[in-house]
Amino acid sequence: MITAVNSFLDKLSLTPALNSIATKVLDNSRISPDEGLYLYEHAELPLLGALANHVRERKSGNVTFFNRNFHIEPTNVCVFSCNFCSYSRTLKDREEGWELTIDQMLDKVRAYDGQPVTEVHIVGGVHPKMTLEFFAELLRKIKAHRPDLHIKGFTAVELDYMFRKAKLSYEDGLKYLNAAGLNSLPGGGAEIFDEAIREKICADKCTSAEWLSIHEAAHRMGMHSNATMLYGHIESYRHRIDHMERLRQLQDQTGGFNTFIPLKFRNQNNEMSDVPEVNVTDDLRCYAIARIFLDNFPHVKAYWPMIGRQTAQLLQAYGVDDLDGTIDDSTKIYSMAGAEEQSPSLSTEQLVELIRQSGRTPVERDTLYNVVKDYSAETV
Ligand code: V47
Ligand code: SF4
């Protein structure tokens, strides 16, 4: 494979600086933050695609993973006021919001009885009445009903708030929820770690250091997690590299992250509607540089309900080896922000076909990337 990539790179007539970075990537050596920034500022898309695809295929071959999961959004009432958020409602605007009871959420779990889903993803706003005890009871009841269902739940923002209210350390709070049934953490709430940008877009929620500490505590207990990055708003390329460098350093220490998920900022119905959205070329560049830079992350995921299914197909040639969002994805966080997919829904058959059309081999995985079903030989 290296020979093929090398002969392609020869045709690009790279400058010495780009050639030296490309050589490092092909040799499986880590690039520095300065080199990551240099790629953002100087590399053309074909070079980024070739390098990202090389890393992707070194890690996952020709496979693109997906999993069968469903979402529960307990509430969109939120004590915080992130300027990019189109979804949350304050306690005062509650008539436009929703607050599900434990029974209503269990009904959503029961609706998948008999269906081969492996994961439930639980994330929502931060409601002052939805306490640690409330969620622990929900987790216990879900596990009592369906013990084999993996529960990936609660962003570091939600956890930080509920642990503070319960006056528990991150370690003790996580132990409590883990004992109640929580298996892993999703990657939300990371946004952009740079403190000055965070102050402008989401000043009042947990800090970057707190987000990283919660994930570190989870990893030390043996729980895995994901990491996101909200890109394409008021941040610069330097901020994106800084964000990924902080994640790369934590991953060096714990190895607990499964997947990195770049999330494209969508500008409808929020306080940042005057900020234009980036174009598809910048999407491809962002994902590709993430795949090149985060050498210690096993996977890079595209969440197709947000980025759109056509871009999700393209991204599989720019570093992505995992597509999220099967079944009738009922998450509202992106549709309310103007995402590509207003009623996201792909059956397993359609997702398998979408992956095959991209020239990749679909493999259904569970949350921890154990193979559930390999579709290489089969028709669905
Ligand atoms: O943290 C909010 C983002 C995230 C907007 O871990 C927005 O498997 C774009 O983290 N434009 C929550 N993005 C969702 C999330 C997630 C999604 C899918 C899979 C996983 C996983 C995690 O949604 C928030 C925020 O970064 N978000 N508003 C917006 N206007
Ligand atoms: Fe609340 Fe999350 Fe929206 Fe921020 S992004 S306002 S924490 S729901």
Side-chain angles (χ1 to χ4, degrees):
M1 188 167 60
I2 292 212
T3 329
V5 184
N6 268 329
S7 69
F8 176 71
L9 295 186
D10 281 348
K11 295 197 181 87
L12 296 179
S13 320
L14 300 177
T15 61
L18 285 174
N19 195 47
S20 138
I21 298 173
T23 305
K24 271 188 165 180
V25 177
L26 297 184
D27 287 349
N28 205 4
S29 305
R30 176 167 285 189
I31 64 165
S32 69
D34 282 346
E35 289 169 327
L37 188 56
Y38 194 86
L39 283 182
Y40 257 127
E41 287 170 346
H42 300 283
E44 304 277 355
L45 191 57
L47 171 64
L48 294 178
L51 295 179
N53 195 51
H54 177 78
V55 177
R56 177 236 196 268
E57 292 190 353
R58 186 164 60 209
K59 289 184 182 287
S60 297
N62 199 41
V63 164
T64 295
F65 295 98
F66 69 95
N67 75 339
R68 296 202 218 196
N69 65 2
F70 64 99
H71 288 235
I72 296 180
E73 296 182 344
T75 182
N76 67 340
V77 172
C78 190
V79 295
F80 297 120
S81 44
C82 306
N83 292 334
F84 55 79
C85 183
S86 321
Y87 153 96
S88 68
R89 296 292 175 266
T90 62
L91 275 172
K92 275 195 245 147
D93 299 331
R94 275 158 94 169
E95 62 280 4
E96 288 181 52
W98 68 86
E99 298 167 30
L100 302 182
T101 63
I102 288 182
D103 278 344
Q104 286 171 321
M105 290 190 262
L106 281 173
D107 281 344
K108 289 186 182 282
V109 176
R110 287 191 202 103
Y112 292 94
D113 282 358
Q115 290 195 46
V117 290
T118 56
E119 173 190 285
V120 55
H121 176 144
I122 309 177
V123 166
V126 178
H127 192 301
K129 295 226 171 88
M130 292 185 172
T131 59
L132 180 71
E133 198 38 61
F134 174 87
F135 284 121
E137 188 185 338
L138 172 69
L139 295 169
R140 284 185 213 108
K141 287 187 166 160
I142 293 176
K143 284 288 176 182
H145 181 71
R146 195 161 174 175
D148 58 326
L149 191 64
H150 181 110
I151 307 181
K152 180 179 75 177
F154 315 119
T155 63
V157 176
E158 295 165 272
L159 294 171
D160 174 68
Y161 184 86
M162 64 176 109
F163 296 162
R164 268 174 211 279
K165 274 201 119 173
K167 299 195 173 25
L168 286 181
S169 67
Y170 293 159
E171 287 71 20
D172 289 344
L174 282 166
K175 268 188 208 146
Y176 186 70
L177 290 182
N178 184 232
L182 183 66
N183 299 111
S184 68
L185 310 188
E191 320 314 355
I192 277 282
F193 290 145
D194 179 85
E195 281 71 15
I197 300 290
R198 208 169 174 84
E199 182 65 25
K200 288 187 184 144
I201 65 170
C202 55
D204 53 358
K205 70 184 184 190
C206 80
T207 64
S208 305
E210 288 162 346
W211 190 99
L212 290 161
S213 294
I214 288 186
H215 283 257
E216 180 174 357
H219 297 173
R220 302 241 180 257
M221 291 170 44
M223 291 167 84
H224 284 265
S225 73
N226 294 334
T228 56
M229 174 174 78
L230 183 69
Y231 72 92
H233 44 93
I234 59 165
E235 91 290 4
S236 67
Y237 294 149
R238 184 174 60 78
H239 299 129
R240 295 188 197 173
I241 293 289
D242 167 68
H243 186 91
M244 293 191 288
E245 174 61 9
R246 295 194 208 192
L247 290 171
R248 195 167 73 167
Q249 284 179 10
L250 179 54
Q251 180 76 332
D252 276 344
Q253 291 166 37
T254 65
F257 287 116
N258 282 335
T259 315
F260 181 65
I261 314 157
L263 294 171
K264 176 187 182 132
F265 165 67
R266 296 291 183 172
N267 70 2
Q268 281 180 35
N269 306 314
N270 58 46
E271 296 291 312
M272 290 168 62
S273 294
D274 56 323
V275 177
E277 292 178 2
V278 295
N279 62 37
V280 69
T281 308
D282 202 42
D283 295 329
L284 301 181
R285 295 175 65 80
C286 182
Y287 277 78
I289 291 175
R291 182 58 289 174
I292 295 164
F293 190 79
L294 290 171
D295 57 347
N296 55 4
F297 270 63
H299 306 284
V300 173
K301 176 157 91 176
Y303 185 52
W304 69 261
M306 179 271 272
I307 199 85
R309 53 195 94 182
Q310 288 185 338
T311 308
Q313 284 191 308
L314 266 179
L315 283 169
Q316 291 169 74
Y318 290 83
V320 164
D321 69 338
D322 191 17
L323 295 185
D324 193 356
T326 39
I327 326 291
D328 45 335
D329 194 320
S330 49
T331 183
K332 297 196 178 65
I333 200 156
Y334 295 112
S335 52
M336 289 165 85
E340 223 68 47
E341 308 279 343
Q342 283 301 302
S343 310
S345 174
L346 275 185
S347 64
T348 303
E349 290 77 3
Q350 289 168 317
L351 192 61
V352 163
E353 192 46 33
L354 184 143
I355 294 170
R356 283 201 177 123
Q357 284 170 357
S358 318
R360 301 297 186 183
T361 304
V363 169
E364 183 187 344
R365 61 164 177 91
D366 66 13
T367 310
L368 303 178
Y369 290 82
N370 300 303
V371 173
V372 175
K373 184 168 176 180
D374 182 342
Y375 285 84
S376 49
E378 288 189 47
T379 49
V380 228

